[in-house]
Amino acid sequence: MVFRKPPDGGWGWVIVVVSFFTQFLCYGSPLAVGVLYLEWLDAFGEGKGKTAWVGSLANGIGLLASPVCSICVSSFGARPVAIFSGFMVAGGLMMSSFAPNIYFLYISYGIVVGLGCGLLYTATVTITCHYFDKRRGLALGLISTGSSVGLFIYAALQKELIDLYGLDGCLLIVGALSLNILACGSLMRPLDSSDSPPPEKTCVGKVPDQYFAYHEKEKTVEENISILEKGYIDEKCVNNMPDYKQDNILNKNVLSSINVNEKDTYKKKVVEQTNFCKQLAKRKWQLYLNYWEETVVLFKNKVFSALFVAILLFDIGGFPPSLLMEDIARSANVNEDDYYVPLISIIGIMTAVGKLILGILADFKWVNTLYLYVTTLLMTGLALFAIPFAKSYLTLAMLSGILGFLTGNWSIFPYVTTKTVGIEKLTHAYGILMFFAGLGNSLGPPIVGWFYDWTQEYDTAFYFSGFCVLLGGFLLLLAALPCWNACTNQSSKLPPNIYSYKVASSA
């Protein structure tokens, strides 16, 4: 598919609006799962680490499957994937209302809902990057605030629905709301080139040679037919036979001459289909090899390699507060009468603010987006170290707001990835990075829960979380330092679509 130049507006703003609501509807419940987490603890009586797997899977499994999600979006387009994923999210939420135990929730809420969210996230980010170039940071910031606003609203909404209709009724209503994703997905019109010729039906002669794993001279249809007819009776052998045998053979030939044309047509079709399947298999195999070759090339970029380590450690340490903050307050014996706003709601609204502000900052030419991202990582690590010292609602609310704002760096992460590998490799690279982000999301909350089950307090868990985030930030900072380019002299060897990070010069 050939894409024209991003319009940076027009229908692109419709894409921004529907992508915003798509992330709002699909990520509202999984991100606000901390409210459901307390109910599941009381309903099933399992340990904190075991119960935390439900929310961590819902937020991590879609990212773990990002390479598959990227392939689906590249193969089928954002619109079909979004519509299909809307059914997955709605169905998974409704199935969770009938969960008899925690293991059923692992599948219905964790895997089904999580995979649907992963497909929707990849679809919205990819199609937005196709529609925007100069305003890409703003556009990504706007659509990514959808999940944060969803977290803010769904935290209070799910709590109210649980009080009115119970846990099962809450999940049924939230699942019904998710069906609105189908309407949003139908408006995700692909950015096709208006002057590109319509796709033609694939035939044997139009398979490009570069997709072949090796080249060989293909036999023509007539040559293959001659091979198929090699076993037929030779005319000379017939002439050497006795007269009565010749008469029998001639009679058979007369009877079969009626269907000669049909046999020839059938043989030609068989040979053509055989050749087409053979060449198509070669093409797919070569595409598969090219995919892994491009993956190896991506990891040769030191910034990209450090980026996947940083995103893994960031999600191991930075994601648990959004899931466990309510339980942290309950473990710190915070009086429920002091609750003015749920802590998860504070995280959600500040994440929306952070995504918007950081997205706008990323569009300024004097701002180095990679260094901006590193700064958010280091500040997040320091905030995690401060959680064990927060013993009141006010201090926990302040830390929730700080962590929420810094978690807004998700809005500039696609921007950083694009500048690192180029728009042509965005889908491929982003799928790999989201896999490691999903691994961190899946492991983070259970690790913190296991620390609590082991020590009966959260202090050690968040010291570990803060260390992970700081380590990832420092590794990424070291990989991005311009002195590496000066020492290794690799900046001139980078492909044209690779962005070499340098410190922005002051005016």
mmCIF file of all heavy atoms in Angstrom, residues 273-298:
data_model
loop_
_atom_site.group_PDB
_atom_site.id
_atom_site.type_symbol
_atom_site.label_atom_id
_atom_site.label_comp_id
_atom_site.label_asym_id
_atom_site.label_seq_id
_atom_site.Cartn_x
_atom_site.Cartn_y
_atom_site.Cartn_z
ATOM 1 N N GLN A 273 -1.767 -23.495 -11.356
ATOM 2 C CA GLN A 273 -1.944 -23.413 -9.913
ATOM 3 C C GLN A 273 -0.743 -23.975 -9.172
ATOM 4 O O GLN A 273 -0.355 -23.457 -8.122
ATOM 5 C CB GLN A 273 -3.226 -24.148 -9.511
ATOM 6 C CG GLN A 273 -4.497 -23.457 -10.000
ATOM 7 C CD GLN A 273 -5.740 -24.255 -9.675
ATOM 8 O OE1 GLN A 273 -5.661 -25.326 -9.063
ATOM 9 N NE2 GLN A 273 -6.894 -23.736 -10.080
ATOM 10 N N THR A 274 -0.143 -25.023 -9.704
ATOM 11 C CA THR A 274 1.039 -25.597 -9.057
ATOM 12 C C THR A 274 2.198 -24.609 -9.057
ATOM 13 O O THR A 274 2.874 -24.408 -8.049
ATOM 14 C CB THR A 274 1.456 -26.885 -9.782
ATOM 15 O OG1 THR A 274 0.365 -27.810 -9.758
ATOM 16 C CG2 THR A 274 2.665 -27.508 -9.095
ATOM 17 N N ASN A 275 2.418 -23.974 -10.209
ATOM 18 C CA ASN A 275 3.489 -22.978 -10.292
ATOM 19 C C ASN A 275 3.223 -21.787 -9.382
ATOM 20 O O ASN A 275 4.135 -21.266 -8.732
ATOM 21 C CB ASN A 275 3.650 -22.496 -11.734
ATOM 22 C CG ASN A 275 4.345 -23.515 -12.608
ATOM 23 O OD1 ASN A 275 5.026 -24.408 -12.104
ATOM 24 N ND2 ASN A 275 4.167 -23.407 -13.911
ATOM 25 N N PHE A 276 1.960 -21.351 -9.322
ATOM 26 C CA PHE A 276 1.624 -20.199 -8.480
ATOM 27 C C PHE A 276 1.865 -20.508 -6.997
ATOM 28 O O PHE A 276 2.434 -19.694 -6.266
ATOM 29 C CB PHE A 276 0.175 -19.799 -8.698
ATOM 30 C CG PHE A 276 -0.287 -18.712 -7.768
ATOM 31 C CD1 PHE A 276 0.140 -17.406 -7.936
ATOM 32 C CD2 PHE A 276 -1.146 -19.002 -6.710
ATOM 33 C CE1 PHE A 276 -0.273 -16.405 -7.082
ATOM 34 C CE2 PHE A 276 -1.543 -18.008 -5.856
ATOM 35 C CZ PHE A 276 -1.127 -16.705 -6.043
ATOM 36 N N CYS A 277 1.430 -21.689 -6.543
ATOM 37 C CA CYS A 277 1.629 -22.063 -5.139
ATOM 38 C C CYS A 277 3.115 -22.161 -4.801
ATOM 39 O O CYS A 277 3.554 -21.754 -3.717
ATOM 40 C CB CYS A 277 0.929 -23.391 -4.840
ATOM 41 S SG CYS A 277 -0.873 -23.299 -4.911
ATOM 42 N N LYS A 278 3.885 -22.693 -5.751
ATOM 43 C CA LYS A 278 5.320 -22.822 -5.530
ATOM 44 C C LYS A 278 5.979 -21.460 -5.381
ATOM 45 O O LYS A 278 6.786 -21.226 -4.474
ATOM 46 C CB LYS A 278 5.936 -23.591 -6.703
ATOM 47 C CG LYS A 278 7.430 -23.848 -6.576
ATOM 48 C CD LYS A 278 7.934 -24.631 -7.775
ATOM 49 C CE LYS A 278 9.438 -24.869 -7.668
ATOM 50 N NZ LYS A 278 9.952 -25.623 -8.836
ATOM 51 N N GLN A 279 5.630 -20.522 -6.271
ATOM 52 C CA GLN A 279 6.237 -19.200 -6.210
ATOM 53 C C GLN A 279 5.729 -18.400 -5.012
ATOM 54 O O GLN A 279 6.484 -17.636 -4.411
ATOM 55 C CB GLN A 279 5.940 -18.446 -7.516
ATOM 56 C CG GLN A 279 6.576 -19.102 -8.743
ATOM 57 C CD GLN A 279 6.254 -18.355 -10.026
ATOM 58 O OE1 GLN A 279 5.788 -17.222 -9.975
ATOM 59 N NE2 GLN A 279 6.489 -18.984 -11.152
ATOM 60 N N LEU A 280 4.456 -18.589 -4.642
ATOM 61 C CA LEU A 280 3.929 -17.894 -3.481
ATOM 62 C C LEU A 280 4.616 -18.365 -2.205
ATOM 63 O O LEU A 280 4.904 -17.562 -1.310
ATOM 64 C CB LEU A 280 2.416 -18.121 -3.379
ATOM 65 C CG LEU A 280 1.694 -17.363 -2.257
ATOM 66 C CD1 LEU A 280 1.846 -15.860 -2.462
ATOM 67 C CD2 LEU A 280 0.228 -17.763 -2.207
ATOM 68 N N ALA A 281 4.896 -19.661 -2.109
ATOM 69 C CA ALA A 281 5.611 -20.184 -0.942
ATOM 70 C C ALA A 281 7.011 -19.579 -0.841
ATOM 71 O O ALA A 281 7.484 -19.222 0.244
ATOM 72 C CB ALA A 281 5.697 -21.705 -1.012
ATOM 73 N N LYS A 282 7.673 -19.439 -2.001
ATOM 74 C CA LYS A 282 8.999 -18.813 -2.002
ATOM 75 C C LYS A 282 8.907 -17.367 -1.529
ATOM 76 O O LYS A 282 9.748 -16.898 -0.770
ATOM 77 C CB LYS A 282 9.596 -18.864 -3.412
ATOM 78 C CG LYS A 282 9.914 -20.251 -3.919
ATOM 79 C CD LYS A 282 10.425 -20.162 -5.353
ATOM 80 C CE LYS A 282 10.644 -21.543 -5.953
ATOM 81 N NZ LYS A 282 11.074 -21.448 -7.363
ATOM 82 N N ARG A 283 7.881 -16.681 -1.993
ATOM 83 C CA ARG A 283 7.725 -15.276 -1.633
ATOM 84 C C ARG A 283 7.501 -15.120 -0.133
ATOM 85 O O ARG A 283 8.126 -14.282 0.519
ATOM 86 C CB ARG A 283 6.554 -14.685 -2.414
ATOM 87 C CG ARG A 283 6.205 -13.266 -2.011
ATOM 88 C CD ARG A 283 4.983 -12.772 -2.757
ATOM 89 N NE ARG A 283 4.627 -11.440 -2.340
ATOM 90 C CZ ARG A 283 3.579 -10.776 -2.798
ATOM 91 N NH1 ARG A 283 2.816 -11.343 -3.716
ATOM 92 N NH2 ARG A 283 3.318 -9.565 -2.382
ATOM 93 N N LYS A 284 6.594 -15.926 0.443
ATOM 94 C CA LYS A 284 6.312 -15.817 1.870
ATOM 95 C C LYS A 284 7.540 -16.175 2.699
ATOM 96 O O LYS A 284 7.803 -15.553 3.735
ATOM 97 C CB LYS A 284 5.138 -16.735 2.232
ATOM 98 C CG LYS A 284 3.817 -16.335 1.586
ATOM 99 C CD LYS A 284 3.382 -14.951 2.047
ATOM 100 C CE LYS A 284 2.038 -14.570 1.454
ATOM 101 N NZ LYS A 284 1.621 -13.205 1.860
ATOM 102 N N TRP A 285 8.282 -17.168 2.285
ATOM 103 C CA TRP A 285 9.473 -17.550 3.028
ATOM 104 C C TRP A 285 10.508 -16.429 3.012
ATOM 105 O O TRP A 285 11.154 -16.142 4.024
ATOM 106 C CB TRP A 285 10.053 -18.821 2.439
ATOM 107 C CG TRP A 285 11.355 -19.245 3.073
ATOM 108 C CD1 TRP A 285 12.587 -19.212 2.526
ATOM 109 C CD2 TRP A 285 11.519 -19.764 4.393
ATOM 110 N NE1 TRP A 285 13.530 -19.674 3.414
ATOM 111 C CE2 TRP A 285 12.900 -20.017 4.564
ATOM 112 C CE3 TRP A 285 10.645 -20.034 5.450
ATOM 113 C CZ2 TRP A 285 13.424 -20.523 5.751
ATOM 114 C CZ3 TRP A 285 11.169 -20.538 6.633
ATOM 115 C CH2 TRP A 285 12.527 -20.782 6.773
ATOM 116 N N GLN A 286 10.645 -15.768 1.867
ATOM 117 C CA GLN A 286 11.602 -14.672 1.775
ATOM 118 C C GLN A 286 11.160 -13.490 2.630
ATOM 119 O O GLN A 286 11.990 -12.835 3.275
ATOM 120 C CB GLN A 286 11.762 -14.226 0.323
ATOM 121 C CG GLN A 286 12.843 -13.171 0.104
ATOM 122 C CD GLN A 286 14.226 -13.677 0.490
ATOM 123 O OE1 GLN A 286 14.497 -14.869 0.346
ATOM 124 N NE2 GLN A 286 15.071 -12.790 0.975
ATOM 125 N N LEU A 287 9.865 -13.213 2.667
ATOM 126 C CA LEU A 287 9.360 -12.147 3.519
ATOM 127 C C LEU A 287 9.616 -12.459 4.990
ATOM 128 O O LEU A 287 9.944 -11.568 5.787
ATOM 129 C CB LEU A 287 7.862 -11.937 3.278
ATOM 130 C CG LEU A 287 7.474 -11.323 1.936
ATOM 131 C CD1 LEU A 287 5.954 -11.295 1.796
ATOM 132 C CD2 LEU A 287 8.038 -9.920 1.799
ATOM 133 N N TYR A 288 9.464 -13.719 5.353
ATOM 134 C CA TYR A 288 9.731 -14.137 6.728
ATOM 135 C C TYR A 288 11.198 -13.923 7.084
ATOM 136 O O TYR A 288 11.536 -13.407 8.165
ATOM 137 C CB TYR A 288 9.353 -15.613 6.889
ATOM 138 C CG TYR A 288 9.638 -16.192 8.252
ATOM 139 C CD1 TYR A 288 8.784 -15.961 9.324
ATOM 140 C CD2 TYR A 288 10.765 -16.988 8.465
ATOM 141 C CE1 TYR A 288 9.040 -16.494 10.566
ATOM 142 C CE2 TYR A 288 11.020 -17.532 9.709
ATOM 143 C CZ TYR A 288 10.156 -17.284 10.752
ATOM 144 O OH TYR A 288 10.420 -17.816 11.992
ATOM 145 N N LEU A 289 12.090 -14.278 6.168
ATOM 146 C CA LEU A 289 13.522 -14.073 6.405
ATOM 147 C C LEU A 289 13.846 -12.582 6.491
ATOM 148 O O LEU A 289 14.665 -12.163 7.330
ATOM 149 C CB LEU A 289 14.330 -14.738 5.283
ATOM 150 C CG LEU A 289 14.291 -16.265 5.207
ATOM 151 C CD1 LEU A 289 15.109 -16.748 4.020
ATOM 152 C CD2 LEU A 289 14.829 -16.887 6.497
ATOM 153 N N ASN A 290 13.218 -11.781 5.634
ATOM 154 C CA ASN A 290 13.464 -10.345 5.660
ATOM 155 C C ASN A 290 13.024 -9.726 6.985
ATOM 156 O O ASN A 290 13.662 -8.801 7.494
ATOM 157 C CB ASN A 290 12.738 -9.657 4.502
ATOM 158 C CG ASN A 290 13.351 -9.984 3.163
ATOM 159 O OD1 ASN A 290 14.497 -10.418 3.075
ATOM 160 N ND2 ASN A 290 12.579 -9.795 2.103
ATOM 161 N N TYR A 291 11.924 -10.251 7.564
ATOM 162 C CA TYR A 291 11.445 -9.729 8.844
ATOM 163 C C TYR A 291 12.487 -9.914 9.935
ATOM 164 O O TYR A 291 12.777 -8.992 10.717
ATOM 165 C CB TYR A 291 10.141 -10.429 9.228
ATOM 166 C CG TYR A 291 9.600 -10.016 10.582
ATOM 167 C CD1 TYR A 291 8.806 -8.877 10.712
ATOM 168 C CD2 TYR A 291 9.888 -10.756 11.722
ATOM 169 C CE1 TYR A 291 8.309 -8.487 11.941
ATOM 170 C CE2 TYR A 291 9.393 -10.374 12.957
ATOM 171 C CZ TYR A 291 8.606 -9.253 13.056
ATOM 172 O OH TYR A 291 8.120 -8.865 14.285
ATOM 173 N N TRP A 292 13.091 -11.101 9.985
ATOM 174 C CA TRP A 292 14.078 -11.355 11.032
ATOM 175 C C TRP A 292 15.389 -10.623 10.754
ATOM 176 O O TRP A 292 16.089 -10.222 11.691
ATOM 177 C CB TRP A 292 14.321 -12.850 11.167
ATOM 178 C CG TRP A 292 13.157 -13.550 11.790
ATOM 179 C CD1 TRP A 292 12.267 -14.381 11.177
ATOM 180 C CD2 TRP A 292 12.728 -13.442 13.153
ATOM 181 N NE1 TRP A 292 11.320 -14.796 12.065
ATOM 182 C CE2 TRP A 292 11.576 -14.243 13.281
ATOM 183 C CE3 TRP A 292 13.201 -12.744 14.257
ATOM 184 C CZ2 TRP A 292 10.897 -14.359 14.495
ATOM 185 C CZ3 TRP A 292 12.520 -12.869 15.467
ATOM 186 C CH2 TRP A 292 11.383 -13.666 15.569
ATOM 187 N N GLU A 293 15.716 -10.437 9.490
ATOM 188 C CA GLU A 293 16.909 -9.646 9.177
ATOM 189 C C GLU A 293 16.735 -8.200 9.614
ATOM 190 O O GLU A 293 17.651 -7.588 10.171
ATOM 191 C CB GLU A 293 17.189 -9.725 7.676
ATOM 192 C CG GLU A 293 17.713 -11.084 7.219
ATOM 193 C CD GLU A 293 17.898 -11.152 5.713
ATOM 194 O OE1 GLU A 293 17.604 -10.128 5.046
ATOM 195 O OE2 GLU A 293 18.325 -12.203 5.207
ATOM 196 N N GLU A 294 15.536 -7.638 9.395
ATOM 197 C CA GLU A 294 15.273 -6.275 9.827
ATOM 198 C C GLU A 294 15.291 -6.174 11.354
ATOM 199 O O GLU A 294 15.710 -5.156 11.911
ATOM 200 C CB GLU A 294 13.929 -5.803 9.283
ATOM 201 C CG GLU A 294 13.924 -5.609 7.770
ATOM 202 C CD GLU A 294 12.554 -5.215 7.259
ATOM 203 O OE1 GLU A 294 11.632 -5.095 8.100
ATOM 204 O OE2 GLU A 294 12.401 -5.033 6.044
ATOM 205 N N THR A 295 14.833 -7.229 12.029
ATOM 206 C CA THR A 295 14.872 -7.229 13.493
ATOM 207 C C THR A 295 16.301 -7.174 14.005
ATOM 208 O O THR A 295 16.615 -6.439 14.955
ATOM 209 C CB THR A 295 14.160 -8.479 14.036
ATOM 210 O OG1 THR A 295 12.818 -8.522 13.540
ATOM 211 C CG2 THR A 295 14.148 -8.476 15.557
ATOM 212 N N VAL A 296 17.191 -7.948 13.377
ATOM 213 C CA VAL A 296 18.600 -7.933 13.777
ATOM 214 C C VAL A 296 19.206 -6.553 13.534
ATOM 215 O O VAL A 296 19.976 -6.038 14.363
ATOM 216 C CB VAL A 296 19.383 -9.021 13.008
ATOM 217 C CG1 VAL A 296 20.878 -8.906 13.284
ATOM 218 C CG2 VAL A 296 18.880 -10.402 13.399
ATOM 219 N N VAL A 297 18.847 -5.929 12.419
ATOM 220 C CA VAL A 297 19.367 -4.587 12.117
ATOM 221 C C VAL A 297 18.900 -3.581 13.171
ATOM 222 O O VAL A 297 19.662 -2.697 13.591
ATOM 223 C CB VAL A 297 18.918 -4.150 10.707
ATOM 224 C CG1 VAL A 297 19.267 -2.688 10.462
ATOM 225 C CG2 VAL A 297 19.581 -5.028 9.649
ATOM 226 N N LEU A 298 17.654 -3.710 13.631
ATOM 227 C CA LEU A 298 17.144 -2.793 14.646
ATOM 228 C C LEU A 298 17.957 -2.879 15.932
ATOM 229 O O LEU A 298 18.293 -1.863 16.546
ATOM 230 C CB LEU A 298 15.671 -3.095 14.937
ATOM 231 C CG LEU A 298 14.648 -2.674 13.885
ATOM 232 C CD1 LEU A 298 13.270 -3.159 14.260
ATOM 233 C CD2 LEU A 298 14.642 -1.164 13.720
#
